Every structure is written in C-alpha cells, then in structure tokens.
Amino acid sequence: METGNNIFSVFQFEVEYGAFFRDDALSPKSGMPRRNPVYVLTHTYNTAGGGASLGSLARKDGSVRLTLIKTADNASYSKSATAPELMLQCYYPPLRGTYNVTGLRRDAASLGDSWYSGAALDAPRLRNEAPNPLCGIREAAIIARIAADGREMEMLVLHGKRAEADAYRHGFAVGAYDPYIELFRKNAVGW
Amino acid sequence: MVGIDTLAIFLPIGRMTREANAALVSLAREERIKRTGEICYRGAVGNLRFSLDGRGLYVVGSLAAYAHGQNVEPLRRSEIPQALERLSDELHADASAASVCRVDVAATMIMQHKPGAYLPILGYLPHFTRLAMGETTLEYRRGKQRKQELAFYDKTEECRARGGESLMPSAYRLAGNALRYEARLMKQVPAQIGVSCLQAGMLSDRNVFARLCGFFLESFKAIRKTYAMESVQAVKTPKEGEDYIKALLLSQAGSGFVEEYVQRLGEVMPGKNDKSRLRALLEAPGKKFSNRGDWNGGSLARELDLAVINETLYTA
C-alpha cells in the first residue's frame, strides 16, 4: 500500500478525524455514574484544512459531547435486521432536546476494538423544522472506532463516501488503512 | 455488502408490445440460428446483452455494472428497483415482470492479505467439483448441469486486467486486497430458493433477498476449510502426538492439496465409498486440533469466515 508523505495524494476526497475521550464524571442531575457513556471531542484533523463538520455539533461553551446509546434499550426503536446497534446523540439547542448524529453498525470482523459505520440524516430539516446541522455531510460515510475498554472513540468523516461506508468500515477493521489513520492521529490538533 | 451482480431474465413475447419489438429490432443486428434456421435479433443496452426471437426477449449481464458503471460494489436490495426501471425504459418492456433465469449474489471483501492466500484453505464441498484456475481464481461447480457455482477471485487483479482499476471505488483501490466471492444460481432459480415463481421485480423483496443471502452464506459455510492449529500443549498422549503432526502437515499443505490428492487416488481406488472414507480419515486429525476461535492467531480461514458473515449483516 502506498502511503506517501503527502496525505492529499492518497485521499482525493476530504477526510475529517476526531478523537474523543469518555467523560467519567458523575451525572450532575443524579450524582450517579451515567447510564449511557458520554464522549468529549479532544483532537481533530481535516485533510482539506477547513472547518470540521464535527464543530457544527458544538455547544455554547465550544465543547462537542456525544452520548452513546444502545438501540436495543430503546423500546420504540425498530427491531429490524438492518437497525444499527448503537446510536450517537448530542444535545441540539434548536430542538431543545437530543439529535441523532448517526446510527452505528458494528463490523463482525473487528479485532479487539470495535469498528462501526454510519451516516448522517439525509434530510435538510429535522422535527420542529429545525435545520439539520449535519446536512452538509449527508453524502459522507461516518466511521467510528470504540476502544475495547470503551474509554476512547475515534471518528472519521469521509466526504462523499456514504455508499462505501460498509466497505471502509471493514477495511479499517482488518487494518487495511492503518498507515493512514496513524497519519491522522499524528497530525491531529487539540479542539 | 452482499448484493446482486449478474442477472439473466426472460420476457415472453406475449408480454411485449409491437412498439417494444420494433424499438429493440432497431437496436439489434439480425442473425440466423444455424441449428433451427430461426431469425433472432441480438444487441446490447449498456453492458447488458439481449436477444429477441420468436419465444421472447432474453437479457443477460451485470446489473451492478449497468447501474454503477462498475461491478465491484454489487447492487444492493434498495437499488434493484431503480436499475430495473431504467432497464425497462431502455428496453421499452417491463423488465421487472420478466422471469429470472440466472442470478449471481456477490460481495467484494477487503482482506488483510492477498486474495490468493485464502484460496488454498478452501477445500472440499459436497456435490461440487473444485476447480483451481491459476493462483487467484477458484470455482466450485455443482453437478454436470452446473445448477450452482461458487467463485472466489482477486477483484483488483481482474479490474487491472480489464483496464478498469481507476473505476474501482476508492475503498477497494486504497486497500489493495479485494477478494470477490460470488454464489451463482445458474438454472431453475425459483426452485432452488424455494419460491413458486421469481420475477425480476421480486429480487428487491425482503424475503426473497434474505433467501438469496442465505444461499450465499450457507454455501460458503458448507465448504470445508483449513483452520489454524491449536498450540502443541493440546497434545496429551503419543497417539495425539501422531495426529497432531499429521494435522499440522496437512494444514500447511492446505485443503486444496488434500482435495486434489483425494481426487487423484479416487481414480485408482475401485471402491464406491473409498474417496469419502479417505477424505474423512485425512480430515479427522485436523478437526481434533483446529482452532475456530478468534483470528488473532492469524487464521486465514477464520478471517474469511468473519468477512463473509460481515457482508451478510444489515442486508435484508
């Protein structure tokens, strides 16, 4: 596999990288450990050098916090065979509630760490006519790695690759793109 | 993700209009069938070839390549109606009402190693003939009628040979190692998947697609494979030691070697069940010490198992 020194020569499309760490603080409401883990964005990298789409999910204080939900826990969720196993949510002020960033489908061939794929909602508007904050990346594939101990999560947004999301997920799971993801990790800067 | 690739459909002449016939004849060239002396018209729409004669319209080709421009990514269930609608427009006939004569269920899998490394571990499949074609292609054919076929080959190499590597989706082009697995239903498709009739439009039906995926997965599972060996600590007695070294040597040779050996001896052994007995004797030590668990140990067979299972998830 050719990695090259210049990552732009490899990826002909924009790739965003985000590293998240689990927030182990107790729930401010109940004072108990959280039932659903919350991940906080710490580092990002963007091959195109532009503003990261993940930034559109930032709260007023600038932090990006995503909650990981098991869809099996949600009684109203469809139990179809195509339903994703996990769901990433974040608080979105225009909705005065949570917004589903993406569903996450696990790769069966994941080694230790689990690899997931998903895609943002393909609609310009949400309920209450609130604008979809991820409308700009609705053609993108979202790939996520959750560490075996659940402490860290990495997310990649591959622009224009929604149709190939599952192929990329499997490629990352078997380590086919390891040199590239190492470059993203090395180049990532603090959020 | 698993999907449809090659499709052959037949539409009886009674279901076509005069205008459709005239439009197709204008796209085709006239030919005379030598055996019957009958006139037929042959042509192509995109990459799909068609022939029109007194019985009806027969269309064959890769529906995935017709819809996507390449067939590395097969046609998903949700994409089938759109492709058939486009085909109907071009043929001036309702392609979704045509009966299915052949369908290939396929998936392209990104692997850790070169695809050629996975082929020797695929061994005997009951009722099928194993045909190794070079180092990068392996086929299984069922019976003399070839009702079913399974094929494994290096998709990157095939695209390169056809000069279409640049058309490959970036996921496969960047990864480099793309193994293609195709399960082909060549004849009598409805009977083989247990439905009374099968029209092209029904391929996007959830139940029909699930049956096709089931055929794809179960055919693969039925192939006997060489799994990685357990460590030597599993040996407790001298007899087990003997079995272990036999299993180790046979696993290094690969299932393909064992199958070729059995076939060669089958020609000289007179007994009816000699081949089956020999195969069972050769496989017994391997079964005792095979490790089907995690593929961290580097078992290619386990990696391939998981890759194929992974392709069938979230499909139907």
Side-chain angles (χ1 to χ4, degrees), chain B residues 190-212:
Chain B
Q192 292 202 62
I193 60 165
V195 293
S196 55
C197 73
L198 183 62
Q199 294 179 332
M202 290 163 67
L203 290 173
S204 58
D205 179 78
R206 194 180 288 270
N207 289 327
V208 171
F209 198 80
R211 282 168 191 254
L212 292 172

Short mmCIF file of all heavy atoms in Angstrom, two decimals, chain B residues 190-212:
data_model
loop_
_atom_site.label_atom_id
_atom_site.label_comp_id
_atom_site.label_asym_id
_atom_site.label_seq_id
_atom_site.Cartn_x
_atom_site.Cartn_y
_atom_site.Cartn_z
N PRO B 190 -36.11 -20.23 -9.16
CA PRO B 190 -37.19 -20.26 -8.15
C PRO B 190 -37.16 -21.53 -7.32
O PRO B 190 -37.29 -21.48 -6.09
CB PRO B 190 -38.47 -20.17 -9.00
CG PRO B 190 -38.05 -19.63 -10.30
CD PRO B 190 -36.64 -20.07 -10.52
N ALA B 191 -36.99 -22.68 -7.97
CA ALA B 191 -37.00 -23.95 -7.24
C ALA B 191 -35.83 -24.02 -6.26
O ALA B 191 -35.97 -24.55 -5.15
CB ALA B 191 -36.91 -25.11 -8.22
N GLN B 192 -34.72 -23.44 -6.64
CA GLN B 192 -33.53 -23.54 -5.78
C GLN B 192 -33.64 -22.68 -4.53
O GLN B 192 -33.00 -22.98 -3.52
CB GLN B 192 -32.29 -23.14 -6.57
CG GLN B 192 -31.95 -24.14 -7.66
CD GLN B 192 -30.50 -24.03 -8.06
OE1 GLN B 192 -29.61 -24.25 -7.26
NE2 GLN B 192 -30.26 -23.69 -9.30
N ILE B 193 -34.39 -21.59 -4.60
CA ILE B 193 -34.53 -20.77 -3.38
C ILE B 193 -35.90 -20.96 -2.73
O ILE B 193 -36.24 -20.26 -1.78
CB ILE B 193 -34.25 -19.26 -3.64
CG1 ILE B 193 -35.23 -18.67 -4.67
CG2 ILE B 193 -32.82 -19.05 -4.06
CD1 ILE B 193 -35.21 -17.17 -4.68
N GLY B 194 -36.68 -21.90 -3.26
CA GLY B 194 -37.93 -22.27 -2.61
C GLY B 194 -39.07 -21.30 -2.78
O GLY B 194 -39.83 -21.05 -1.84
N VAL B 195 -39.20 -20.71 -3.97
CA VAL B 195 -40.37 -19.88 -4.27
C VAL B 195 -41.03 -20.45 -5.53
O VAL B 195 -40.36 -21.10 -6.34
CB VAL B 195 -40.01 -18.38 -4.46
CG1 VAL B 195 -39.54 -17.76 -3.18
CG2 VAL B 195 -38.98 -18.18 -5.56
N SER B 196 -42.34 -20.21 -5.69
CA SER B 196 -43.05 -20.81 -6.81
C SER B 196 -42.68 -20.16 -8.14
O SER B 196 -42.59 -20.82 -9.16
CB SER B 196 -44.56 -20.75 -6.59
OG SER B 196 -44.92 -19.42 -6.36
N CYS B 197 -42.50 -18.85 -8.15
CA CYS B 197 -42.03 -18.16 -9.35
C CYS B 197 -41.19 -16.97 -8.91
O CYS B 197 -41.34 -16.50 -7.79
CB CYS B 197 -43.19 -17.71 -10.24
SG CYS B 197 -44.09 -16.33 -9.57
N LEU B 198 -40.32 -16.55 -9.78
CA LEU B 198 -39.44 -15.44 -9.41
C LEU B 198 -39.34 -14.47 -10.57
O LEU B 198 -38.75 -14.79 -11.62
CB LEU B 198 -38.05 -15.97 -9.03
CG LEU B 198 -37.05 -14.91 -8.55
CD1 LEU B 198 -37.54 -14.22 -7.29
CD2 LEU B 198 -35.69 -15.52 -8.31
N GLN B 199 -39.93 -13.29 -10.38
CA GLN B 199 -39.80 -12.24 -11.38
C GLN B 199 -38.72 -11.27 -10.92
O GLN B 199 -38.43 -11.18 -9.71
CB GLN B 199 -41.13 -11.50 -11.53
CG GLN B 199 -42.23 -12.38 -12.10
CD GLN B 199 -43.54 -11.66 -12.22
OE1 GLN B 199 -43.82 -10.74 -11.47
NE2 GLN B 199 -44.37 -12.10 -13.16
N ALA B 200 -38.14 -10.56 -11.87
CA ALA B 200 -37.00 -9.68 -11.53
C ALA B 200 -37.38 -8.65 -10.46
O ALA B 200 -36.58 -8.33 -9.59
CB ALA B 200 -36.50 -8.99 -12.79
N GLY B 201 -38.62 -8.18 -10.54
CA GLY B 201 -39.07 -7.18 -9.57
C GLY B 201 -39.10 -7.71 -8.14
O GLY B 201 -39.04 -6.95 -7.17
N MET B 202 -39.21 -9.06 -8.01
CA MET B 202 -39.28 -9.66 -6.68
C MET B 202 -37.91 -9.75 -6.00
O MET B 202 -37.82 -10.08 -4.82
CB MET B 202 -39.87 -11.06 -6.77
CG MET B 202 -41.34 -11.07 -7.12
SD MET B 202 -41.88 -12.69 -7.68
CE MET B 202 -41.71 -13.66 -6.21
N LEU B 203 -36.84 -9.47 -6.74
CA LEU B 203 -35.50 -9.56 -6.15
C LEU B 203 -35.29 -8.55 -5.03
O LEU B 203 -34.45 -8.75 -4.16
CB LEU B 203 -34.43 -9.37 -7.23
CG LEU B 203 -34.29 -10.49 -8.26
CD1 LEU B 203 -33.34 -10.09 -9.37
CD2 LEU B 203 -33.80 -11.77 -7.61
N SER B 204 -36.04 -7.45 -5.09
CA SER B 204 -35.90 -6.45 -4.03
C SER B 204 -36.81 -6.74 -2.84
O SER B 204 -36.81 -6.00 -1.86
CB SER B 204 -36.17 -5.05 -4.58
OG SER B 204 -37.47 -5.01 -5.13
N ASP B 205 -37.60 -7.81 -2.95
CA ASP B 205 -38.46 -8.20 -1.84
C ASP B 205 -37.59 -8.70 -0.68
O ASP B 205 -36.62 -9.44 -0.89
CB ASP B 205 -39.41 -9.32 -2.30
CG ASP B 205 -40.32 -9.78 -1.19
OD1 ASP B 205 -41.28 -9.06 -0.92
OD2 ASP B 205 -40.05 -10.83 -0.59
N ARG B 206 -37.95 -8.29 0.53
CA ARG B 206 -37.12 -8.62 1.69
C ARG B 206 -36.93 -10.12 1.88
O ARG B 206 -35.84 -10.61 2.13
CB ARG B 206 -37.77 -8.01 2.94
CG ARG B 206 -36.86 -7.97 4.16
CD ARG B 206 -37.61 -7.36 5.32
NE ARG B 206 -37.81 -5.93 5.17
CZ ARG B 206 -36.95 -5.01 5.60
NH1 ARG B 206 -35.85 -5.38 6.20
NH2 ARG B 206 -37.20 -3.73 5.45
N ASN B 207 -38.03 -10.88 1.71
CA ASN B 207 -37.94 -12.34 1.94
C ASN B 207 -37.12 -13.03 0.86
O ASN B 207 -36.32 -13.92 1.16
CB ASN B 207 -39.34 -12.95 1.98
CG ASN B 207 -40.07 -12.54 3.23
OD1 ASN B 207 -39.46 -12.36 4.27
ND2 ASN B 207 -41.38 -12.37 3.12
N VAL B 208 -37.34 -12.62 -0.39
CA VAL B 208 -36.59 -13.24 -1.49
C VAL B 208 -35.11 -12.93 -1.35
O VAL B 208 -34.25 -13.80 -1.48
CB VAL B 208 -37.12 -12.74 -2.86
CG1 VAL B 208 -36.22 -13.19 -4.00
CG2 VAL B 208 -38.54 -13.23 -3.08
N PHE B 209 -34.81 -11.68 -1.02
CA PHE B 209 -33.40 -11.28 -0.88
C PHE B 209 -32.75 -12.03 0.29
O PHE B 209 -31.59 -12.42 0.21
CB PHE B 209 -33.30 -9.76 -0.69
CG PHE B 209 -31.94 -9.22 -0.97
CD1 PHE B 209 -31.53 -8.98 -2.27
CD2 PHE B 209 -31.04 -8.97 0.05
CE1 PHE B 209 -30.26 -8.50 -2.54
CE2 PHE B 209 -29.78 -8.48 -0.21
CZ PHE B 209 -29.39 -8.24 -1.51
N ALA B 210 -33.54 -12.22 1.35
CA ALA B 210 -33.00 -12.96 2.51
C ALA B 210 -32.68 -14.40 2.11
O ALA B 210 -31.69 -14.97 2.57
CB ALA B 210 -34.00 -12.94 3.66
N ARG B 211 -33.49 -15.00 1.23
CA ARG B 211 -33.22 -16.37 0.77
C ARG B 211 -31.95 -16.41 -0.07
O ARG B 211 -31.16 -17.34 0.02
CB ARG B 211 -34.40 -16.89 -0.06
CG ARG B 211 -35.56 -17.34 0.80
CD ARG B 211 -36.79 -17.56 -0.05
NE ARG B 211 -37.96 -17.74 0.79
CZ ARG B 211 -38.57 -18.88 1.00
NH1 ARG B 211 -38.12 -19.98 0.43
NH2 ARG B 211 -39.63 -18.95 1.76
N LEU B 212 -31.77 -15.38 -0.90
CA LEU B 212 -30.55 -15.32 -1.72
C LEU B 212 -29.31 -15.15 -0.83
O LEU B 212 -28.29 -15.79 -1.05
CB LEU B 212 -30.64 -14.17 -2.73
CG LEU B 212 -31.67 -14.33 -3.84
CD1 LEU B 212 -31.80 -13.05 -4.65
CD2 LEU B 212 -31.29 -15.48 -4.77
#
